[in-house]
Amino acid sequence: MTATEIMSAVRVGAFERTFEAELAARYDIAKLPDAPHRAAFLAEHAADIRVVITSGPPGVDADTIAALPNLEVIINNGAGVDMIDMSAARRRGIGVSNTPDVLSDTVADTALGLILMTLRRFGAADRYVRAGRWVRDGPFPYGRDVSGLQVGILGLGRIGSAIATRLLGFDCAIAYHNRHRVDGSPYRYAESPVELAESVDVLVVATTGDPKTRHLVDRAVLEALGPEGYLVNIARGSVVDQDALVELLAGGALGGAGLDVFVDEPRVPPALFDLDNVVLFPHIGSATARTRRAMALLAIRNFESYLNTGELVTPVLRPRR
């Protein structure tokens, strides 16, 4: 398909490179400029814009929504919609789509990798060999078995369920906490995040990232995990009280952590860099070529479906007619 200029749409955010390439191969869509050029752009084009396509920070905040009086839908390249002001969109009747399902398996694989690397200390073992310490200092210290552990999943949605399925292969006992019980789930339900943390060896954070889940994993939850417990976060940095996490890890009050997400990405608390009981990933949960292309194509399907039929393929909010 040849590139087509779409005057009723605008791009917002730092686009992931696969999405950038797939979208550019099909359409020529203007990018909403940053200040100081934004005001002039909006003065000329704001009334024409019906669709915002977004991918990555800074997202679509209330001010951006307010500046587009005829906005109808926001197309998001990603499962999480935490960078979109959903309250503002809901008030205006603006539809929002995301890219669920196509990334669930890849993110679940990342969670499993973090669990293995953190408990078995695979990353630290690699550094130990590269630094010549195997020769100089002898055998590497013991890690901890993953097989047979009690694992808690905070957020048993698509990704959380995919993580649980993988852990069954390690004979792990699974428990979970959601806002509501999952009908038909074979896993033990905990009434609160603290109750879940108290009863498991590993707590995996797989919730959405939004104002309702901010600091859902607070100091009390982390302290309930204790010095033999491990935290794995593949959700959003905002879900965890990062200051408390750093303090407890540095002080030995938490066994370890595997982190793919942080509060102020790409900035990571420097205190974590020297801790061998912590594994740090640069938000790569869905970062495979196949998955990123599947996400891009689903976002484009949402865009094309809305232009052609007025319907979104994977709506988080349906547009109000």
Side-chain angles (χ1 to χ4, degrees), residues 16 19 76-79 98-100 102-103 286-302:
E16 191 277 328
F19 186 40
N76 183 53
N77 180 48
N98 67 343
T99 58
V102 293
L103 51 68
S286 63
T288 69
R290 183 179 68 175
T291 296
R292 290 290 171 85
R293 185 166 190 269
M295 291 168 62
L297 295 180
L298 180 53
I300 292 169
R301 280 179 58 206
N302 272 287

Side-chain angles (χ1 to χ4, degrees), residues 9-309:
V10 69
R11 299 164 46 213
V12 175
F15 272 36
E16 191 277 328
R17 63 179 182 272
T18 299
F19 186 40
E20 177 86 39
E22 294 290 347
L23 190 65
R26 294 162 173 81
Y27 303 104
D28 180 14
I29 297 175
K31 183 175 182 179
L32 184 64
D34 296 326
H37 305 293
R38 178 172 293 195
F41 179 90
L42 290 172
E44 183 176 356
H45 299 294
D48 299 323
I49 295 169
R50 297 168 51 212
V51 181
V52 163
I53 303 175
T54 186
S55 177
V60 184
D61 59 14
D63 289 341
T64 301
I65 291 172
L68 302 173
N70 296 313
L71 182 62
E72 298 171 10
V73 294
I74 299 169
I75 307 295
N76 183 53
N77 180 48
V81 292
D82 50 303
M83 291 186 183
I84 299 170
D85 192 316
M86 297 295 284
S87 296
R90 190 177 288 108
R91 286 193 299 270
R92 283 266 304 273
I94 295 167
V96 177
S97 69
N98 67 343
T99 58
D101 295 325
V102 293
L103 51 68
S104 298
D105 284 335
T106 302
V107 176
D109 291 347
T110 302
L112 186 60
L114 280 169
I115 292 169
L116 287 166
M117 287 189 68
T118 305
L119 274 73
R120 290 297 310 276
R121 304 184 64 195
F122 289 152
D126 175 79
R127 293 191 294 274
Y128 192 84
V129 173
R130 292 174 187 274
R133 294 187 60 191
W134 192 10
V135 173
R136 186 172 68 249
D137 300 334
F140 184 73
Y142 294 153
R144 184 168 176 181
D145 284 320
V146 173
S147 298
L149 289 182
Q150 301 277 337
V151 180
I153 298 178
L154 191 59
L156 195 69
R158 296 179 179 93
I159 293 172
S161 296
I163 295 167
T165 299
R166 283 155 174 73
L167 289 168
L168 292 177
F170 288 81
D171 294 322
C172 293
I174 308 298
Y176 75 98
H177 173 74
N178 276 9
R179 293 188 184 116
H180 306 287
R181 291 176 185 265
V182 177
D183 291 340
S185 172
Y187 310 125
R188 176 174 61 84
Y189 180 72
E191 295 289 343
S192 70
V194 169
E195 180 184 313
L196 181 63
E198 286 174 339
S199 65
V200 298
D201 304 297
V202 180
L203 179 64
V204 182
V205 184
T207 65
T208 58
D210 57 46
K212 292 180 180 178
T213 60
R214 184 179 182 276
H215 287 191
L216 186 62
V217 179
D218 58 13
R219 178 179 292 272
V221 174
L222 297 170
E223 289 178 343
L225 266 175
E228 299 298 319
Y230 294 80
L231 179 81
V232 170
N233 189 4
I234 48 79
R236 287 292 186 268
S238 62
V239 181
V240 177
D241 182 339
Q242 186 168 276
D243 291 340
L245 175 65
V246 172
E247 179 185 329
L248 294 173
L249 285 167
L254 192 63
L259 307 172
D260 185 44
V261 290
F262 305 88
V263 170
D264 186 25
E265 296 176 1
R267 284 162 283 278
V268 175
L272 296 177
F273 293 156
D274 295 327
L275 299 179
D276 266 350
N277 61 337
V278 180
V279 175
L280 306 171
F281 284 176
H283 202 152
I284 56 168
S286 63
T288 69
R290 183 179 68 175
T291 296
R292 290 290 171 85
R293 185 166 190 269
M295 291 168 62
L297 295 180
L298 180 53
I300 292 169
R301 280 179 58 206
N302 272 287
F303 177 53
E304 293 176 340
S305 176
Y306 188 75
L307 290 182
N308 294 327
T309 71

